[in-house]
Amino acid sequence: MDRRDFIKKSLLTLALGQGAPSLLSRSALAAQSKDKILVVVNLFGGNDQLNTLVPYRNELYYRKRPNIAVKREEVLDLGARGERLGLHPQLRPLMSLWDGGELALLPQVGYPNPNRSHFIATSIWHTADPTRKEEHGWLGRWGDLQDDPFCDTFLGGASPQALQGDKRTAPAISSIETFSIRLPKAYEEEFDRELKQARSGTVEEVRRAMLSLRGALDKIGKLREVKNKVQYPDNSFGKSMADVARMIAGGLGSSVYYTTLGGWDTHAGQPPRQAELLGYLAQTLAAFRQDMRAIGRDKDVLVMVFSEFGRRVEENASFGTDHGKGGLMLVLGGGVKGGLYGGEPDLEDLDDGDLKYRTDFRNVYASALSWIQADARTVLMGDFKPLPLF
Amino acid sequence: MPVRFGYREAAHLLRRAAARGRKEEAQKLVEMGLEAAVDSLLRDPAPAPAYTTAFTRSERGPQLQEITRLWLSHWLTTPTPAAERLALFWQGHLTSEYRETRAAQGIDFYNQLGTFRALGYGPYGQLLRAVAKDPVMLLYLNNAESRKEHPNENWARELMELYTTGPGHYSEQDIQEAARAFTGWTVRLKGNQRPREAPASVPYEFVFRAQWHDPGPKTFMGRTVQSGDEVLDVLIAHPETYRFVGRKLLAFYLTPEPPQALVEEGAKVFRDGGARGLLRWLFTREEFYAPQHRNAIVKSPVEYVVGLLYAARQTDPVLGKNDEKAMGRTLTTFAAMGQVPFDPPNVKGWDGGMSWLAESPFLARLNLIGALAGKEKGIDLEVFMDGASGPLSLVKPEAQLL
């Protein structure tokens, strides 16, 4: 630890020790530990909880889903700690984490007055504000307090609302491999000259985007030599997580990495589609974890997976399910206290055909924030007791 | 006060209306005068070439390459390019994702584009009714599989949330009742052919299956209705529909955050005169040419490519070397820039704005400049961007703006 880090850490400790948020100065918050890393995976479209964490000992589940239920004999048993629930067979690659006590399953996570629109629900999760008054993302608000433009990184085309702050937005890198500038020399020189000319209005916004791009090119270019220690599935989610691992191994220094896996909006023909996606998810997360172990960072990295909502309990007539409420979150990593956080869902006490939510997602966010030693109260704009996930 | 309509204004108009242009066209518009120039830009669309394919129904990737090439080369050559930019707007508004709609073929998506082109300028209700029966939409939002036993709510929800009133003007109950009303609206292959046997050029068509339809009365937005058509009647008569969709049009043509007063006035114009009426009204207003509204919109990748290739006098929309793999590479480049034609990222369409210029997609479009090497000499950037002085200007911020 160098002197500057030491001072910042002491400040942070002091501020936290006194428990007074007013003492959490900008510089203290700016000095978050780079040791701990949060990886957020957003399953866009609304993953169906009931066919992921399956209540396979409940007859009612099979009655409500005569065509699309996961067959009892195919469900992966979770043993005594899983109560009467089991996992979808495609999640087999995660079983060793469960057995090792490093996978937390959080059913029916939601918020008061749930919304069934993809976009409104996603925005609520991204801003951490169910009243929908806040326009900036929860990690964007955290990022506003940091000094490092690479304090967080999005793997994909453009950073989502979660990573958009008032002052900055996380850099968006869709792949390390393709992230290099290929311009004739005269153009590149002209580009660097244009960077220096302050402008106004939207033109100035574009110039700032050029500046961010220039900064990212310099940082990401150095990662091209870093290799993964394990093989990842050959799909876009696998590639993104492989790049996250390279960024961590190469010392990019982000405390937060964020990526998405879409396609969960299974209104029709759900079983094959969801199985395919759960397979992508589990294989990739298992590979990522192995990679982290190989570089000795497994205990530092916490992965948090969420979807904007779960789905309707009863299947529809097209072998699918419609939008529902509270959904399943997964939290995993070498430092995580695994287990089931919340019991078997009550299939009889429904809210307009949906499972009722039991855990507020902001309590989970509070844990994630404390993992990276951020001040959850400031970021979440309220007191949310962290779930004891680690 | 009459609008000053000189060369700068004409270039701005051309860029916004059509996303392509060269110096002589802007000069011609100036000679015509504002009113005639606007009428000329907004005239009825010239017909697009027909599409047939030799690929099979399982070869959807190559079909996407074919229809993209056909559409963009049409945009690059048609005398009515403004109709094509409007068709792009409708594709991003009345969305269907190519990758997610696996039953639909290139021909179905190309036909949908044809609907956007043919009805795009007309009354919004007419376009909406056509899209409600469009096979790609029925397949994409699963109404094609919706039966009375347990209706599928996907289409009913997005119809209200994204295509008409926007959120806040209906209840969950309205969604469920509308879903009942649309049961039985489904598709079949033309001539009732079987998907396994039919060539990929055989399109889907709308069919109403009475045995799937729930004929009972439904309470929708406080009224008793029976059919899907009646649900559409209610939404087409709803003033919020014109505010919501009209605002999106203004964001696409004027500025990402259009002033509320213009939204209000524009909604009325849109309701009475369709998109053509709205655009005619907008393009002849002083605000449209005001400094704060110039260079206010970020070009989407499709607009950027069309504008750039047109400036370089290229009519075939391939990027880089023109070999047999050219169109595959071109689509990969579009994906890297964040916009694959016919394939918005989700049902809400492309976010647009500054998100086009996040690090990775921005880099992808800058790297395209390299592909122009050797063609810089003849390039005419006068309409493509403000303040161009030779090809090196392509790295100026203005090159990214409409």
Side-chain angles (χ1 to χ4, degrees):
Chain A
M1 194 184 295
D2 66 31
R3 190 179 155 271
R4 190 164 160 264
D5 270 349
F6 176 75
I7 293 173
K8 285 181 173 176
K9 277 202 175 137
S10 311
L11 266 172
L12 191 71
T13 315
L14 178 73
L16 288 170
Q18 306 229 341
S22 60
L23 277 180
L24 276 174
S25 70
R26 203 183 114 80
S27 60
L29 276 168
Q32 312 295 346
S33 163
K34 293 286 202 275
D35 299 330
K36 298 291 184 195
I37 290 167
L38 170 67
V39 180
V40 184
V41 178
N42 183 356
L43 308 181
F44 181 73
N47 178 37
D48 178 38
Q49 175 188 311
L50 284 178
N51 278 16
T52 309
L53 181 63
V54 188
Y56 70 114
R57 291 193 172 102
N58 187 339
E59 202 40 55
L60 193 52
Y61 164 70
Y62 290 95
R63 281 213 299 280
K64 299 245 187 199
R65 296 185 164 195
N67 296 294
I68 68 157
V70 184
K71 290 196 189 81
R72 199 170 272 127
E73 61 274 20
E74 289 176 3
V75 173
L76 305 173
D77 187 70
L78 289 172
R81 285 184 304 129
E83 303 196 13
R84 282 151 44 90
L85 301 168
L87 288 180
H88 188 284
Q90 286 296 324
L91 295 179
R92 187 174 290 285
L94 298 183
M95 282 306 281
S96 66
L97 273 100
W98 174 261
D99 294 336
E102 295 173 348
L103 169 64
L105 298 165
L106 291 63
Q108 281 145 273
V109 184
Y111 49 89
N113 303 315
N115 197 296
R116 282 184 184 153
S117 147
H118 291 296
F119 306 100
I120 295 171
T122 296
S123 175
I124 287 170
W125 278 82
H126 282 218
T127 57
D129 179 17
T131 67
R132 299 175 54 206
K133 294 192 183 74
E134 175 61 37
E135 57 174 315
H136 299 119
W138 65 292
L139 292 166
R141 296 196 290 273
W142 168 80
D144 279 340
L145 302 167
Q146 315 302 313
D147 292 331
D148 179 4
F150 268 88
C151 62
D152 50 6
T153 301
F154 178 67
L155 277 288
S159 292
Q161 192 177 19
L163 298 169
Q164 293 171 16
D166 180 33
K167 298 194 201 108
R168 63 177 287 287
T169 292
I173 312 294
S174 52
S175 110
I176 294 174
E177 236 36 70
T178 58
F179 203 78
S180 63
I181 194 157
R182 295 185 299 276
L183 279 181
K185 195 155 174 276
Y187 286 87
E188 197 170 344
E189 285 166 5
E190 182 72 11
F191 180 81
D192 288 336
R193 266 195 295 279
E194 286 292 337
L195 289 180
K196 298 186 184 100
Q197 321 251 340
R199 313 291 288 272
S200 64
T202 314
V203 182
E204 171 66 6
E205 284 186 58
V206 177
R207 185 188 72 100
R208 291 199 184 162
M210 289 164 63
L211 274 171
S212 303
L213 173 59
R214 171 47 84 195
L217 282 163
D218 299 341
K219 282 269 224 182
I220 300 298
K222 298 189 182 111
L223 297 173
R224 221 160 289 131
E225 295 141 36
V226 182
K227 302 284 173 236
N228 294 113
K229 306 275 186 210
V230 300
Q231 276 266 309
Y232 284 78
D234 187 22
N235 53 55
S236 68
F237 179 60
K239 287 180 184 142
S240 291
M241 289 299 287
D243 275 351
V244 171
R246 291 168 74 188
M247 289 170 178
I248 293 171
L252 181 63
S254 295
S255 298
V256 177
Y257 296 91
Y258 200 107
T259 192
T260 57
L261 170 58
W264 303 86
D265 194 20
T266 48
H267 286 274
Q270 174 171 312
R273 182 69 174 139
Q274 197 199 13
E276 184 185 20
L277 291 167
L278 289 173
Y280 291 165
L281 179 70
Q283 290 154 24
T284 296
L285 292 178
F288 178 73
R289 179 166 179 278
Q290 243 188 311
D291 211 357
M292 289 301 99
R293 283 177 85 139
I295 62 166
R297 297 300 304 271
D298 187 40
K299 295 232 182 296
D300 297 329
V301 181
L302 180 140
V303 181
M304 181 176 93
V305 183
F306 79 97
S307 195
E308 70 268 30
F309 44 61
R311 308 188 73 84
R312 205 72 49 83
V313 173
E314 240 176 273
E315 66 184 35
N316 63 27
S318 26
F319 304 115
T321 48
D322 292 301
H323 301 184
K325 299 188 183 110
L328 177 70
M329 286 183 84
L330 312 178
V331 176
L332 50 114
V336 170
K337 233 191 285 169
L340 183 65
Y341 290 76
E344 190 186 349
D346 185 342
L347 300 185
E348 288 177 69
D349 180 26
L350 301 179
D351 174 6
D352 193 17
D354 297 333
L355 298 175
K356 287 184 174 167
Y357 92 93
R358 282 180 184 165
T359 303
D360 194 300
F361 71 96
R362 290 166 293 181
N363 296 107
V364 188
Y365 280 8
S367 316
L369 287 163
S370 82
W371 180 258
I372 55 168
Q373 296 169 36
D375 178 40
R377 190 164 170 214
T378 306
V379 173
L380 299 177
M381 304 175 300
D383 276 315
F384 294 93
K385 196 170 175 249
L387 235 57
L389 289 164
F390 45 85
Chain B
M1 197 172 80
V3 176
R4 194 201 112 81
F5 189 66
Y7 180 76
R8 267 169 57 85
E9 287 74 21
H12 170 69
L13 171 65
L14 191 49
R15 190 157 64 223
R16 283 285 169 88
R20 55 149 246 215
R22 293 190 290 258
K23 188 176 185 180
E24 69 274 11
E25 290 160 76
Q27 281 167 336
K28 208 173 143 209
L29 291 181
V30 178
E31 284 161 27
M32 291 168 97
L34 178 60
E35 302 272 330
V38 169
D39 285 339
S40 153
L41 281 168
L42 298 181
R43 65 192 189 274
D44 282 343
Y51 172 63
T52 55
T53 185
F55 287 108
T56 66
R57 298 188 85 82
S58 59
E59 296 167 304
R60 295 182 75 250
Q63 292 180 43
L64 180 60
Q65 294 173 20
E66 289 180 331
I67 58 173
T68 298
R69 190 172 206 161
L70 205 54
W71 179 25
L72 298 189
S73 66
H74 177 64
W75 193 337
L76 286 165
T77 52
T78 177
T80 53
E84 304 307 317
R85 181 161 191 253
L86 183 61
L88 176 67
F89 170 82
W90 293 124
Q91 191 174 83
H93 171 63
L94 298 162
T95 42
S96 301
E97 293 171 66
Y98 188 86
R99 270 170 318 162
E100 289 290 321
T101 317
R102 296 180 191 190
Q105 303 294 300
I107 185 67
D108 300 307
F109 275 84
Y110 195 71
N111 286 345
Q112 189 187 57
L113 178 71
T115 300
F116 294 149
R117 182 185 293 116
L119 303 179
Y121 280 133
Y124 183 57
Q126 212 177 327
L127 175 62
L128 191 67
R129 283 183 206 283
V131 169
K133 293 188 176 175
D134 178 82
V136 172
M137 181 60 87
L138 288 161
L139 289 165
Y140 173 52
L141 292 182
N142 311 109
N143 207 79
E145 298 135 285
S146 188
R147 311 162 72 130
K148 62 185 172 198
E149 291 79 18
H150 202 138
N152 192 308
E153 296 168 11
N154 206 5
W155 155 253
R157 178 182 302 277
E158 307 306 1
L159 169 64
M160 284 176 266
E161 181 176 339
L162 299 175
Y163 304 156
T164 55
T165 66
H169 304 285
Y170 52 87
S171 66
E172 284 290 316
Q173 184 77 18
D174 289 326
I175 292 170
Q176 289 165 9
E177 294 287 278
R180 289 177 60 212
F182 284 108
T183 48
W185 288 37
T186 184
V187 297
R188 67 171 174 215
L189 277 188
K190 200 169 182 178
N192 225 353
Q193 297 189 53
R194 290 166 195 228
R196 275 172 208 281
E197 292 152 18
S201 292
V202 177
Y204 277 102
E205 59 187 16
F206 171 80
V207 62
F208 177 69
R209 279 194 211 287
Q211 68 274 27
W212 289 8
H213 179 65
D214 176 348
K218 294 100 187 169
T219 308
F220 178 70
M221 291 191 165
R223 271 170 249 216
T224 304
V225 301
Q226 195 280 316
S227 67
D229 283 315
E230 288 170 271
V231 167
L232 292 173
D233 289 342
V234 173
L235 294 170
I236 288 166
H238 204 303
E240 287 301 332
T241 295
Y242 299 91
R243 246 182 228 126
F244 185 71
V245 182
R247 189 185 187 287
K248 278 176 96 168
L249 278 160
L250 290 177
F252 194 77
Y253 282 100
L254 177 69
T255 182
E257 298 290 339
Q260 195 52 35
L262 274 190
V263 172
E264 289 300 322
E265 198 182 333
K268 293 193 191 86
V269 179
F270 179 40
R271 184 178 184 151
D272 297 340
R276 179 183 271 132
L278 181 75
L279 293 180
R280 195 173 196 295
W281 167 82
L282 179 67
F283 293 161
T284 50
R285 285 181 78 91
E286 213 180 342
E287 286 103 320
F288 180 71
Y289 302 92
Q292 71 270 27
H293 294 147
R294 296 179 64 99
N295 285 308
I297 293 174
V298 180
K299 289 180 176 103
S300 74
V302 167
E303 291 156 354
Y304 180 80
V305 166
V306 166
L308 198 57
L309 295 183
Y310 192 79
R313 296 176 191 275
Q314 188 179 321
T315 54
D316 191 3
V318 295
L319 306 174
K321 202 168 72 173
N322 195 353
D323 54 21
E324 74 279 7
K325 290 198 178 133
M327 213 48 213
R329 276 201 313 270
T330 299
L331 276 184
T332 305
T333 307
F334 271 118
M337 292 188 288
Q339 187 177 41
V340 175
F342 302 97
D343 194 31
N346 58 54
V347 65
K348 204 177 179 183
W350 294 282
D351 282 343
M354 288 305 292
S355 76
W356 296 128
L357 301 182
E359 288 75 4
S360 278
F362 195 173
L363 181 59
R365 58 164 90 182
L366 282 176
N367 281 342
L368 267 188
I369 296 170
L372 282 179
K375 290 181 186 149
E376 297 106 316
K377 247 187 158 177
I379 201 164
D380 170 358
L381 297 172
E382 293 263 335
V383 173
F384 179 74
M385 61 184 284
D386 259 2
S389 56
L392 283 181
S393 300
L394 285 170
V395 296
K396 280 181 185 291
E398 284 87 348
Q400 308 307 330
L401 299 172
L402 267 183

